Amino acid sequence: MKLILATNNQGKVKEYRDILTPLGFEVLSQSEAGIHLDVEETGATFAENAYLKAKAIYDIAHCCVLSDDSGLQVTVLGNEPGIYSARYKGLPTEHERRMAILDGLKDKADRSARFVCCVCFIDEGGKEHLFTGIWNGTIAEAESGTNGFGYDPIFVAEDSGGHTTASLPISFKETHSHRAKAVGQLMDYLRSR
Ligand code: ITT
C-alpha cells in the first residue's frame, strides 16, 4: 500500500520508514511525493494538529496519508513543551530547546516526563483514524547520546535501564517508543478492517 508521510521532520521520516517498510508499505515522504507544504499547526491538541497535517496532504494527493503530531510533556513544567515541542520558547535549535528543559528542571526533585505521539491515518476513502502512544520516563541531568532527534539526548524512558534514548540502539526506540505504540494500534486497525 502506498502511503505518504505528512511531515517535514527528517527524524520522523526515517523512523516511520524503518517501522512501516518491513510491514509492506511503500512509504513516500512529502517531498518524494512532490508536495512542498508546511501546514500551520493551529490546533489545541496533538490530535487536532495531526489531523490538520494529514488532511492538508490528503486533499492534494487523494491516497493514504499518515501524519504525526508529537512532543515531550514535563510534569513540573506544567506539561510543557507539549504541542510546542518543535518551537519551545522560540529557540531555534534542538540543542537550545533541550538546554531550556534542563534549566527549567534545576533543583527540581520531580523529573518525570513523557513523550506523546498522535498518529492520524487517512485511508483511501478520506476517513481519518487517530491513534495515541505514550512513553513514560524522566529527564536526565545532562545531554547524552547522538541517536534519534529532538529531545532523545535528555529523555530516559522507564524501560531503558537508565540510558537516554539517544544513547541506545535505534532498534530500541523502534520497538518501545510513543511512536511505535501509536503505530502498533494503527497496525491492529489495518489488520482488522
Ligand atoms: P512535522 O510537523 O512536519 O511533522 P515537527 O518537528 O514540527 O514536524 P511536531 O510539531 O509534531 O513535528 O513536533 C514534534 C517535536 O517534538 C519534534 O520536533 C521534537 O522536538 C519532539 N519529539 C517528538 N517525537 C520525538 C522523539 O521521538 N524523540 C525526540 N523528540 C521528539
Side-chain angles (χ1 to χ4, degrees):
M1 185 193 293
K2 181 175 140 186
L3 181 81
I4 298 178
L5 290 177
T7 179
N8 291 310
N9 179 319
Q10 292 315 306
K12 288 185 190 174
V13 170
K14 184 179 179 324
E15 288 190 11
Y16 278 108
R17 219 188 271 288
D18 290 351
I19 296 173
L20 295 172
T21 305
L23 298 171
F25 287 93
E26 183 198 341
V27 178
L28 294 182
S29 67
Q30 241 177 250
S31 54
E32 285 164 348
I35 301 171
H36 302 283
L37 195 66
D38 195 8
V39 180
E40 215 186 329
E41 297 183 25
T42 52
T45 61
F46 291 112
E48 284 175 22
N49 283 334
Y51 175 70
L52 287 175
K53 290 189 271 194
K55 179 81 167 79
I57 302 303
Y58 181 84
D59 286 345
I60 296 170
H62 297 286
C63 69
C64 293
V65 174
L66 187 149
S67 71
D68 163 320
D69 201 63
S70 47
L72 179 70
Q73 294 181 329
V74 180
T75 309
V76 296
L77 300 181
N79 286 333
E80 285 195 353
I83 60 168
Y84 304 107
S85 291
R87 48 202 151 118
Y88 186 43
K89 292 186 186 281
L91 293 165
T93 67
E94 290 184 335
H95 169 70
E96 286 169 282
R97 294 193 284 271
R98 291 191 293 265
M99 294 313 289
I101 302 279
L102 295 181
D103 274 357
L105 287 183
K106 263 192 201 137
D107 309 323
K108 297 278 194 301
D110 179 4
R111 302 185 73 87
S112 64
R114 69 214 61 85
F115 270 133
V116 180
C117 174
C118 187
V119 162
C120 180
F121 174 72
I122 302 194
D123 64 27
E124 308 87 324
K127 181 165 172 22
E128 76 274 15
H129 309 267
L130 287 156
F131 307 94
T132 301
I134 294 176
W135 203 17
N136 290 309
T138 55
I139 300 299
E141 298 286 340
E143 293 180 312
S144 114
T146 53
N147 287 334
F149 66 97
Y151 298 96
D152 286 333
I154 60 168
F155 184 73
V156 178
E158 62 184 359
D159 44 8
S160 72
H163 302 285
T164 66
T165 306
S167 312
L168 291 168
I170 289 162
S171 55
F172 181 79
K173 201 175 170 194
E174 276 168 19
T175 48
H176 290 71
S177 75
H178 49 319
R179 190 155 293 114
K181 289 173 183 170
V183 170
Q185 293 168 38
L186 167 64
M187 290 308 135
D188 289 345
Y189 161 71
L190 290 175
R191 278 187 214 106
S192 72
R193 69 178 186 155

